Amino acid sequence: MVKPKKNWEKHLAGQPNALAVDFVESLSYDKRLYKYDIVGSIAHAQMLAEQKLITKSEFSQIKNGLIEIGEKISDGKFKFDKTYEDIHMAIEAALVAKIGDAGKKLHTGRSRNDQVATDIRLWMRDEIEILQTKITLFQKAFVKLADKYNEDLMPGYTHFQRAQPIVIAAYLLNFVEQFERDFIRLGNCSELLNVSPLGSGAIAGSTLPLNRISTAKQLGFSAVSRNSIDSISDRDFAAEFIFDCSLIAMHLSRLAEDWIVYSSNEFGFIRIDDSFCTSSSMMPQKRNPDMLELIRAKTGSVYGSLIAMLTILKAQPTGYNRDLQEDKIHIFSADDTVSASLDLIREIALNTKFNTKKISANINAGFLDATSLAEYLVEKGVAFRHAHGIVGELVTYCEKQNKSLAELKLDEFKKYSTAIEKDVYSWLGAENVVNKYVSEGAAGKKQAKEQIAFWNQQLAKR
Ligand code: ARG
């Protein structure tokens, strides 16, 4: 039996090409929007009834029909037919099949162009809240870990060379800061996208007396969009969302990279729990940090989505173009990847231990106290540039003698600067240095504890 043609394609001759049917459909991925499509349709139908464009009875038939369809989809009992192209047509066709003529009135004054623009915004608004919650949970896990290591030291690195001593808590809290900005960025994205495009129709609005404020209010939008042409073609928010996901992925990749290195035998700074490691099929001794490697790698796919989204948008002629349908592939993919990585990293963090004994056994290697010594000289009235030179020479001397700065005798110091007195020793050694940090936000114990208190208070509000 030849399937009846879709009723909005009456003027097209013959049946669609089978390859074209497969190529054009988005139902396979946009079915994920079904709840938002139904909610948007109910709001639209209620507004049509308020405006007397449909009767109250038609509205209740539409509403009940849509709710039943929604339940059927969530129960997995709905049969998706890709010849309907997308979730919007699949639901509308099911509604007409269920309630008949009243269903045919639902699309009054509406196009799939403003419909899909509305659906994605509604979906993204919710998804941003979910991502923000996951970020908060991640931050809480890191603050907890920081609190555990608020007295223990590690080397801070620049150029991946030992630089200055830091408290482990400060290292961990640096990630809490990064993810705080990600949280805020997502919030900004949500605020900007939260305007209703519904009622913009295909491109030019409608000759029917639609009440756009009513649908916007029902759907919790903060305003209606000003310009119908922009409303149906704007996907700035989609690119922005994926950019926000990209920065989250980038932050995660830096953390993953650190911990892959820190968990190696060469470093041995941390031990990731066995439940997050894999072994080798050949080498029985292996404990591989595969989860972290995958988190690092997945950044590539999120960046790929960003480039894809920006490229899809580039040079599109004004108005809606089918190109826009591809937005969802990349929005969903970036969201799924980042969402899963955030879940995992939080669990990993809650089950990771810092090997503080091993770290502290070697904490005085690499002249982490050299800058502190230069600052000591500044306190003694030596100009910083001059002090820098003196300490540079002292380090060269120590390297030749195979000694640390703290191991030098006072008369050895005196050969390089007469400004050095016996109080110098309280400025040397990682522990002393960390206790001397006084500037705001420095990587010392006192500052880390203040930051932990700040975050505990801040995150408790969420
Ligand atoms: N599936 C389409 C999309 O995601 C819906 C809009 C189609 N509009 C159209 N005029 N063909 O963009």
Side-chain angles (χ1 to χ4, degrees), residues 26 30 86 88 112-113 116 320 322 324-325 328:
S26 53
D30 66 15
D86 55 31
H88 325 294
R112 276 185 292 165
N113 297 354
V116 71
Y320 174 87
R322 197 60 177 255
L324 291 178
Q325 172 166 291
K328 286 168 285 300

Side-chain angles (χ1 to χ4, degrees), residues 195-259:
V195 290
S196 176
L198 198 56
S200 299
I203 179 165
S206 174
T207 60
L208 297 168
L210 307 176
N211 181 352
R212 297 191 55 208
I213 293 172
S214 164
T215 45
K217 267 203 186 134
Q218 292 183 63
L219 297 170
F221 284 115
S222 60
V224 295
S225 60
R226 244 186 324 266
N227 179 301
S228 66
I229 306 166
D230 175 57
S231 309
I232 50 86
S233 66
D234 167 32
R235 291 292 186 280
D236 295 2
F237 63 93
E240 194 175 340
F241 174 74
I242 305 175
F243 174 74
D244 293 353
C245 290
S246 298
L247 285 194
I248 296 173
M250 179 274 286
H251 288 148
L252 287 170
S253 78
R254 295 187 68 176
L255 168 62
E257 169 69 11
D258 274 4
W259 285 18

